[in-house]
Amino acid sequence: MIARGARTITRGRRLSTLMCRNSRAPPPPNSPHQGVALSRPRVPVFARGLASAPPRLTTHYKAIANASPRDGLPLTELDDMDAAEVDRLADLGRACVASSWSQRASVGRRVVVLHEIAASIRSRSEELARLETLDCGKSIAESRADIAFCAQIFDYYAALAPDALRERPLLNEPPFVAHVVPSAVGLVACVTPWNYPLMQACVKVAPALAAGCAGLLK
């Protein structure tokens, strides 16, 4: 799950739904946002797991305002979290790493999940491109290209994982034998910048999931 500006747990399955509260305003003349519908979404904190994790941890977060670079007006409200909630998410991530998700035998399962995420991004590409444009101030054409690349990132690591994560012989000189055995390192913390929010999240989340890690995404 990917939600910019909120600390979230990512353990691969699908992109969560952004809950939007619509409010429209016309873009200025000759704006790169011309033709882009404006909205004022509230971006909540989610936890998504491999099974049936609750879609939202709590409803008692403090709201953080996020202004649009287009006009300086409030674009979103982001749900903040306290340290206890972050610790709870970290515990969920560690539980995921301790599950079958991180095992070497589950590489094929993770490949399927990565392709599913890529397909989900493509199916929602116009929505995601619009949000990138409203959030970053770039043209809708550039945002569409960014979103297409995001889907490609997940497909790339899905194709790379089976070979990159297989056991490899390092030394075979009896009685000395050595092998390289790739394994997940555990829970990964991913912090993204503002200028390419979804793309920068994908380049961190996709390889982590491919390797069998869980991730906390801020």
Side-chain angles (χ1 to χ4, degrees):
M1 196 288 298
I2 301 173
R4 181 187 177 275
R7 297 178 181 87
T8 58
I9 184 73
T10 304
R11 293 186 288 166
R13 200 51 171 168
R14 61 179 65 86
L15 293 174
S16 66
T17 302
L18 290 177
M19 297 180 177
C20 297
R21 187 173 60 216
N22 291 330
S23 173
R24 300 181 183 277
N30 302 319
S31 167
H33 310 296
Q34 193 71 39
V36 179
L38 299 181
S39 65
R40 299 292 187 263
R42 174 70 178 269
V43 181
V45 175
F46 291 88
R48 288 291 184 191
L50 298 175
S52 56
R56 188 169 180 177
L57 296 179
T58 181
T59 58
H60 302 295
Y61 296 115
K62 179 181 68 175
I64 301 175
N66 181 30
S68 170
R70 167 186 173 270
D71 51 19
L73 296 177
L75 171 63
T76 60
E77 291 179 342
L78 308 174
D79 285 341
D80 197 7
M81 301 179 69
D82 59 22
E85 275 301 323
V86 175
D87 288 342
R88 181 185 172 194
L89 289 174
D91 289 340
L92 287 173
R94 294 186 186 99
C96 177
V97 173
S99 73
S100 61
W101 170 259
S102 295
Q103 295 177 3
R104 292 176 55 238
S106 297
V107 173
R109 176 187 176 193
R110 299 198 295 268
V111 166
V112 170
V113 169
L114 292 174
H115 282 311
E116 287 178 349
I117 294 174
S120 182
I121 292 173
R122 291 190 178 97
S123 70
R124 298 176 56 187
S125 60
E126 195 63 23
E127 172 195 2
L128 295 171
R130 177 181 61 84
L131 290 173
E132 290 287 274
T133 286
L134 296 176
D135 188 36
C136 299
K138 63 179 69 178
S139 69
I140 188 65
E142 184 177 350
S143 291
R144 285 169 178 153
D146 291 348
I147 300 306
F149 182 69
C150 289
Q152 293 171 10
I153 291 170
F154 282 96
D155 281 336
Y156 171 80
Y157 282 103
L160 183 68
D163 183 65
L165 298 176
R166 66 182 177 87
E167 182 177 332
R168 300 177 184 274
L170 182 64
L171 177 67
N172 188 13
E173 298 178 2
F176 304 104
V177 178
H179 296 266
V180 176
V181 183
S183 60
V185 297
L187 181 63
V188 178
C190 308
V191 181
T192 63
W194 68 270
N195 53 338
Y196 290 89
L198 186 55
M199 185 188 297
Q200 294 288 353
C202 289
V203 298
K204 294 175 173 63
V205 169
L209 294 181
C213 299
L216 278 174
L217 173 64
K218 179 180 184 296

